[in-house]
């Protein structure tokens, strides 16, 4: 039996809680082989981003082609892309390949540091989002995307963690599916990388062959478990426990 392969296109978090590192941990927890394309390197910990070095679009595109030309990638996710040049470079390579694509429109780190410049919003709208199977913004990110002219028909998982109240509700509106997922708010500072982890879990589930609603529902449950399993590291927003206790994978569909 071949192991499913997923690909993350994102930035590096030297603290290991978000970005490429969180995505690869999440893929591994789901029994999926993880491949990666780096977009930027950060000096980062649980307290914030101290420095960042973006990689040139040509190098991002070269990494992406190298992976796709050799590995049977079954699903792709994007995280922090940073600027319009890298957004376009990714879209140019992915266009025409018809792979399931989860776009996490990372605009701010948990610490509040900006990870996407304003001009890249239009590149997202015009180049990358038309290729997406699912976009996973939080409420402020969706407001920024809507202000940039992204249409309401975009396939969307709207994350509700920024809304007030003791219940956190995410809403899936995509490809004719409408699903509401709720969980009790976990009062903890260990939430670094929640958005990365959720989108990576959805991507892993799509790579395993799950239908979109099942992939989202399973990822939502995994994220709650990963928050509960946080190892308590760092003095700021701590990382999750990606090898979440109690993770039960849905079986992969048999090929027809």
């Amino acid at each position: 039996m071949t192991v499913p392969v997923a690909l993350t296109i994102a930035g590096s978090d030297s603290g290991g809680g978000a970005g490429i590192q969180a995505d690869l941990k999440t893929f591994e927890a789901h029994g999926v082989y993880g491949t990666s394309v780096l977009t930027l390197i950060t000096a980062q910990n649980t307290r914030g981003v101290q420095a960042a070095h973006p990689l040139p679009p040509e190098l991002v595109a070269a990494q992406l082609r190298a992976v796709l030309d050799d590995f049977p990638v079954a699903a792709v996710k994007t995280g922090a892309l940073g600027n319009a040049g890298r957004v376009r470079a990714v879209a140019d390579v992915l266009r025409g390949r018809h792979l399931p694509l989860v776009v996490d429109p990372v605009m701010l780190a948990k610490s509040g540091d900006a990870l996407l410049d304003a001009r890249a919003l239009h590149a997202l709208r015009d180049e990358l989002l038309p290729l997406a199977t699912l976009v996973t913004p939080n409420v402020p990110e969706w407001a920024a995307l809507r202000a940039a002219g992204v249409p309401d028909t975009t396939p969307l998982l709207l994350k509700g963690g920024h809304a007030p109240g003791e219940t956190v509700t995410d809403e899936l509106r995509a490809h004719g599916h409408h699903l509401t997922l709720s969980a009790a708010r976990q009062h903890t500072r260990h939430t670094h990388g929640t958005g990365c982890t959720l989108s990576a879990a959805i991507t892993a589930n799509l790579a395993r062959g799950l239908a979109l609603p099942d992939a989202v529902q399973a990822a939502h449950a995994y994220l709650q478990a990963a928050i509960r399993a946080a190892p308590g590291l760092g003095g700021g927003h701590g990382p999750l426990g990606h090898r979440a206790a109690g993770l039960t994978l849905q079986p992969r569909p048999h090929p027809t």
Side-chain angles (χ1 to χ4, degrees):
M1 180 182 294
T2 4
V3 63
V5 177
L7 168 62
T8 171
I9 307 167
S12 170
D13 172 3
S14 51
I20 288 281
Q21 288 85 346
D23 293 345
L24 292 176
K25 291 174 189 178
T26 301
F27 291 167
E28 184 71 18
H30 284 79
V32 171
Y33 182 83
T35 58
S36 61
V37 170
L38 281 175
T39 58
L40 63 152
I41 300 167
T42 68
Q44 184 177 168
N45 56 27
T46 66
R47 300 179 188 274
V49 179
Q50 286 80 49
H53 178 72
L55 298 183
E58 298 80 12
L59 182 55
V60 172
Q63 293 176 76
L64 184 50
R65 284 192 296 267
V67 172
L68 292 176
D69 288 349
D70 193 41
F71 290 86
V73 173
V76 181
K77 70 151 284 187
T78 63
L81 297 176
N83 71 8
R86 285 185 290 281
V87 172
R88 292 191 184 101
V90 168
D92 286 346
V93 177
L94 291 180
R95 193 174 291 110
R97 293 183 184 259
H98 307 295
L99 289 167
L101 172 63
V102 178
V103 175
D104 183 8
V106 180
M107 298 179 188
L108 291 174
K110 188 71 69 179
S111 58
D113 297 282
L115 296 175
L116 185 74
D117 69 38
R119 287 182 297 180
L121 283 175
H122 288 154
L124 273 175
R125 180 195 66 196
D126 298 336
E127 305 284 345
L128 195 60
L129 295 192
L131 307 178
T133 304
L134 187 68
V135 185
T136 62
N138 58 36
V139 171
E141 289 167 343
W142 181 234
L145 290 169
R146 290 290 292 118
V150 172
D152 281 330
T153 54
T154 299
L156 183 70
L157 176 66
L158 183 61
K159 300 177 294 189
H162 286 73
E166 291 302 305
T167 300
V168 177
T169 300
D170 298 344
E171 185 180 3
L172 173 68
R173 303 195 304 263
H175 310 290
H177 303 292
H178 192 176
L179 181 65
T180 300
L181 299 164
S182 296
R185 186 179 299 278
Q186 299 188 52
H187 294 280
T188 173
R189 64 181 175 87
H190 299 291
T191 56
H192 183 49
T194 49
C196 304
T197 298
L198 178 62
S199 58
I202 295 169
T203 305
N205 287 326
L206 291 174
R208 296 178 62 246
L210 271 64
L212 182 61
D214 296 331
V216 170
Q217 194 158 6
H220 182 268
Y222 168 75
L223 178 61
Q224 301 308 311
I227 296 171
R228 289 192 296 271
L233 300 174
H237 295 288
L240 310 183
H242 291 93
R243 291 184 62 84
L247 172 62
T248 302
L249 296 179
Q250 295 188 32
R252 292 176 64 195
H254 291 294
T256 53

